[in-house]
């Protein structure tokens, strides 16, 4: 689809200039982002309204099932997605992290095949982080990312280093970028992250032998995938890049998207590079969608493993769907941080090894890790199944048959939370909120690299347990007092009153907020204005 826009589409910058911001926020780049906002901002608003309507329908008892209207797409055996693009054929290990300079160097030379530079769950979207992240990506693409820290540590890319393929994850459709305004309204954050990177780096990536590649988060249906496909077509036309150069992997991390995997691949088929199993956001979405029902009461987060029947149905359906259509199936995150002592380190690696061996044996083509120290164990697990093959797309998993009932069979693992599980959720949410407000989006807590997805599942579980009286409010408030006090001692810089208030509004309210990030973002903006 080609969208013609009027000639003047300059975006207004509502923030003070920062170091090297002028290299990113050029008039031409802002005009490009403005054209995308003009062409697609209205559709994005309508899709967000449809999300709310769908949520109300499901909350009112409408059944969730595979769409009847798209049954012909699912029944057609002939269509396939585009073949793997350069640098995306072998994806057996992918590392994720925020787009900042140290992470960029470590990830690119980690031995992983792909680095997913994450503007979404692993980035606290301060203005400095967003534009600084674009600067870091521009430098990484041009291999001028080398730097030294004040204490003398050097981060460099050697000329002979084999570097991971760069894939960028923009923020989700539900978020705005308050510092950029078009036609009197904030620009959708997804268009900011995508547009600035695409404008500055797409052609450079093509000349380097790869291309502009993306991960698309939190899609809920095929219509949202179609919107992205139309954006890709328009962006390529505006910059004179051949249609089909873009590649995008979609994270299946909402329960409604799990029922439209084939349709999402179909809508993006000329730009698709597969699907990813985003496990923590998937659980978050499940509670957010069905948390009002007692048959969806989940136990402690640690007890909801990937072998739970409904999670196994979700991942096996993902592998079958991808491989039937010639697409990569990418497994979930290994969030462990290798411990400092030998015993702690081996315990963490053993958990990762079991998880990745299971994925590879189930047919996945690769998986995610959050720490460079996990790259070797993930690679070994996939090497054991793939050998010299770049993937196992030819393994179509015809043995898999998944129904709607399988995807929704949560009752089989339902049980009441434990005291330890309640405290852990409160502690994780508080520590992550504090770090997020401080400008950090990826935080190591008790041996796990936590991001916005784990904070979301932590706070909605508390809400769900309270709603169904599996937990009483007095216990939560007592534990909250204790953990807030512990937070203040552990993080002296933390705005503990603000963090507590954020937790109470997002976990203890009668009606569950859909995401904590919009409210936390607004609070962060207020804090910045109030600071001298």
């Amino acid at each position: 689809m080609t969208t013609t826009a009027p000639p003047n589409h300059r975006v207004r910058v509502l923030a003070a200039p920062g170091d090297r911001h002028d290299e990113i926020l050029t008039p031409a780049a802002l005009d490009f982002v403005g054209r995308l906002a003009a062409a697609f901002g209205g559709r994005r608003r309508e899709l967000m309204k449809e999300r709310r309507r769908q949520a109300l329908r499901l909350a009112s008892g409408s059944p969730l099932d595979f769409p009847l209207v798209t049954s012909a797409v699912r029944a057609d055996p002939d269509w396939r997605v585009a073949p793997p693009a350069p640098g995306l054929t072998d994806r057996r290990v992918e590392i994720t992290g925020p787009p900042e300079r140290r992470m960029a160097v470590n990830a690119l030379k980690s031995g992983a095949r792909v680095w997913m530079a994450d503007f979404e769950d692993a980035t606290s979207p301060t203005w400095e982080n967003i534009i600084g992240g674009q600067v870091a990506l521009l430098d990484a693409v041009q291999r001028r990312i080398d730097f030294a820290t004040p204490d003398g540590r050097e981060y460099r890319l050697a000329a002979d280093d084999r570097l991971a393929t760069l894939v960028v994850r923009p923020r989700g459709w539900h978020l705005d970028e308050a510092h950029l305004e078009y036609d009197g309204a904030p620009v959708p954050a997804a268009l900011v992250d995508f547009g600035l990177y695409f404008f500055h780096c797409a052609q450079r990536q093509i000349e380097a032998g790869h291309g502009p590649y993306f991960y698309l988060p939190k899609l809920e249906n095929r219509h949202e995938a179609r919107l992205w496909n139309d954006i890709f077509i328009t962006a390529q036309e505006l910059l004179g890049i051949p249609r089909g150069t873009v590649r995008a992997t979609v994270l299946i991390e909402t329960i409604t998207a799990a029922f439209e995997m084939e349709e999402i691949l179909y809508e993006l088929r000329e730009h698709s590079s597969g699907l990813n199993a985003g496990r923590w956001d998937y659980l978050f979405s499940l509670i957010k969608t069905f948390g009002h029902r007692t048959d969806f009461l989940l136990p402690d987060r640690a007890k909801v493993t990937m072998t739970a029947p409904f999670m196994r149905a979700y991942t096996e359906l993902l592998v079958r769907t991808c491989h039937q259509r010639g697409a990569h199936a990418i497994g979930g995150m290994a969030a462990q941080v290798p411990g400092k002592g030998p015993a702690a380190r081996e315990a963490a690696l053993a958990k990762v090894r079991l998880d990745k061996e299971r994925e590879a044996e189930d047919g996945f083509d690769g998986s995610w890790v959050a720490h460079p120290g996990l790259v070797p164990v993930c690679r070994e697990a996939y090497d054991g199944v793939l050998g010299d093959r770049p993937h196992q797309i030819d393994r179509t998993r015809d043995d898999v048959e998944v129904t709607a009932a399988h995807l929704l069979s949560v009752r089989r693992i339902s049980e009441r939370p434990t005291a330890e599980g309640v405290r852990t959720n409160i502690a994780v949410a508080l520590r992550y909120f504090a770090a997020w407000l401080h400008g950090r989006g990826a935080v190591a807590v008790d041996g796990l690299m936590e991001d916005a997805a784990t904070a979301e599942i932590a706070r909605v579980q508390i809400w769900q347990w309270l709603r169904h009286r599996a937990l009483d409010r007095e216990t939560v408030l007592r534990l909250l007092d204790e953990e807030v006090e512990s937070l203040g001692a552990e993080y002296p810089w933390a705005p503990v009153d603000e963090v507590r208030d954020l937790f109470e509004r997002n976990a203890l309210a009668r009606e569950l907020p859909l995401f904590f990030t919009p409210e936390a973002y607004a609070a962060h903006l207020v804090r910045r204005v109030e600071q001298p």
Side-chain angles (χ1 to χ4, degrees):
M1 187 190 91
T2 304
T3 304
T4 303
N8 184 8
H9 289 90
R10 188 64 51 79
V11 169
R12 292 181 61 210
V13 180
L14 307 179
D19 183 38
R20 297 182 61 191
H21 285 198
D22 58 323
E23 297 179 36
I24 301 299
L25 301 172
T26 64
L30 293 174
D31 182 75
F32 179 75
V33 172
R35 286 176 179 271
L36 297 180
F40 300 107
R43 277 177 63 186
R44 177 257 189 173
R45 286 191 295 273
E46 287 304 311
L47 287 173
M48 294 304 96
K49 292 178 183 177
E50 178 55 29
R51 279 189 181 184
R52 291 190 286 273
R53 289 191 288 266
Q54 171 73 333
L56 289 173
R57 288 193 290 268
L58 294 173
S60 299
S62 295
L64 181 60
D65 207 337
F66 300 97
L68 181 62
V69 71
T70 56
S71 57
V73 171
R74 297 192 301 275
D76 182 354
D78 295 329
W79 64 267
R80 297 288 185 276
V81 304
L88 292 179
T89 301
D90 188 328
R91 303 173 60 180
R92 67 188 67 202
V93 188
E94 303 192 352
I95 190 169
T96 72
E100 53 90 19
R101 303 188 76 81
R102 181 169 63 178
M103 180 71 206
V105 175
N106 288 341
L108 287 171
K109 60 190 297 184
S110 66
R113 298 302 179 102
V114 169
W115 171 40
M116 195 274 283
D118 187 12
F119 281 100
E120 200 219 13
D121 280 354
T123 294
S124 173
T126 67
W127 184 237
E128 293 80 4
N129 285 346
I130 294 302
I131 303 304
Q134 294 285 348
V135 171
L137 294 183
L138 179 60
D139 285 351
V141 169
Q142 298 182 96
R143 294 185 72 114
R144 61 179 191 184
I145 192 75
D146 300 355
F147 71 102
T149 62
D151 61 3
R153 286 180 292 177
E154 295 186 349
Y155 293 84
R156 303 191 182 280
L157 299 179
D160 58 348
D161 280 340
R162 176 178 178 175
L163 304 185
T165 300
L166 174 58
V167 180
V168 174
R169 176 160 69 166
R171 283 168 284 176
W173 279 130
H174 60 291
L175 297 170
D176 288 317
E177 176 47 69
H179 300 92
L180 294 178
E181 180 183 273
Y182 176 79
D183 196 23
V187 179
L191 295 183
V192 174
D193 301 339
F194 166 81
L196 292 176
Y197 173 74
F198 191 90
F199 182 84
H200 290 291
C201 297
Q203 188 60 46
R204 288 182 167 98
Q205 287 285 59
I206 294 168
E207 292 168 358
H210 287 169
Y213 304 146
F214 299 92
Y215 258 104
L216 304 180
K218 294 182 174 60
L219 299 193
E220 296 199 2
N221 54 58
R222 62 192 182 279
H223 304 292
E224 296 179 18
R226 183 182 303 164
L227 173 59
W228 268 117
N229 197 67
D230 291 344
I231 289 168
F232 296 156
I233 293 171
T234 296
Q236 289 166 128
E237 289 179 350
L238 287 173
L239 295 191
I241 290 172
R243 179 164 167 164
T245 303
V246 171
R247 288 290 192 277
T249 305
V250 173
L251 291 116
I252 301 299
E253 53 186 353
T254 64
I255 184 63
T256 53
F259 285 83
E260 298 191 29
M261 292 187 200
E262 286 200 76
E263 292 86 342
I264 287 169
L265 285 179
Y266 182 81
E267 294 294 345
L268 283 159
R269 61 194 180 280
E270 63 182 322
H271 297 110
S272 177
S273 55
L275 305 176
N276 171 283
R279 63 178 73 177
W280 295 128
D281 265 314
Y282 188 74
L283 292 173
F284 161 51
S285 170
L286 190 79
I287 296 175
K288 187 169 59 172
T289 305
F290 295 113
H292 59 287
R293 291 172 46 174
T294 56
D295 52 333
F296 282 84
L297 185 65
L298 288 173
D300 295 357
R301 175 166 65 113
K303 295 184 179 180
V304 187
T305 68
M306 298 307 293
T307 60
F310 74 99
M311 294 298 284
R312 189 144 183 80
Y314 149 67
T315 55
E316 291 205 312
L317 178 62
L318 190 148
V319 172
R320 174 187 165 91
T321 300
C322 287
H323 289 184
Q324 293 276 346
R325 303 304 181 178
H328 282 81
I330 306 300
M333 168 73 81
Q336 285 79 5
V337 176
K340 294 183 179 180
R345 178 178 178 82
E346 184 50 43
L349 295 181
K351 289 182 180 179
V352 175
R353 186 176 297 108
L354 286 173
D355 184 48
K356 300 312 169 191
E357 287 175 349
R358 176 194 52 77
E359 285 182 341
E361 290 165 1
D362 282 349
F364 281 96
D365 303 293
S367 194
W368 278 12
V369 299
H371 191 281
L374 301 182
V375 169
V377 69
C378 183
R379 184 174 57 239
E380 290 167 9
Y382 275 87
D383 285 350
V385 172
L386 296 179
D388 294 332
R389 296 177 299 156
H391 51 70
Q392 51 183 331
I393 291 175
D394 59 337
R395 189 179 169 201
T396 53
R397 290 305 308 271
D398 298 322
D399 58 304
V400 170
E401 293 291 339
V402 173
T403 66
H406 292 142
L407 291 172
L408 299 174
S409 61
V410 176
R411 183 190 291 272
R412 294 173 62 183
I413 66 163
S414 294
E415 64 177 74
R416 298 178 70 84
T418 67
E420 181 183 4
V422 175
R423 183 182 291 277
T424 295
N425 277 354
I426 294 172
V428 167
L430 290 176
R431 280 154 180 75
Y432 187 80
F433 290 167
W436 200 92
L437 292 171
H438 196 61
R440 295 171 54 207
V443 188
V445 179
D446 294 333
L448 295 174
M449 188 63 71
E450 308 285 15
D451 63 10
T454 47
E456 290 284 29
I457 182 65
R459 61 105 184 173
V460 299
Q461 280 205 295
I462 296 295
W463 177 87
Q464 185 189 40
W465 293 335
L466 286 170
R467 179 183 176 91
H468 295 294
R469 296 184 172 86
L471 179 64
D472 63 84
R473 192 178 183 89
E474 290 72 22
T475 297
V476 173
L477 292 175
R478 174 178 59 78
L479 293 174
L480 182 59
D481 287 339
E482 294 173 6
E483 290 302 322
V484 165
E485 183 177 356
S486 177
L487 174 71
E490 184 178 345
Y491 295 170
W493 42 264
V496 290
D497 292 339
E498 188 175 347
V499 170
R500 181 187 181 120
D501 185 54
L502 186 62
F503 179 89
E504 290 182 350
R505 285 183 297 172
N506 283 276
L508 307 186
R510 181 178 180 83
E511 297 298 325
L512 179 68
L514 296 181
F515 297 95
F516 85 83
T517 42
E519 186 174 348
Y521 185 52
H524 176 78
L525 293 174
V526 170
R527 290 179 69 239
R528 291 299 301 270
V529 170
E530 292 177 346
Q531 287 175 352

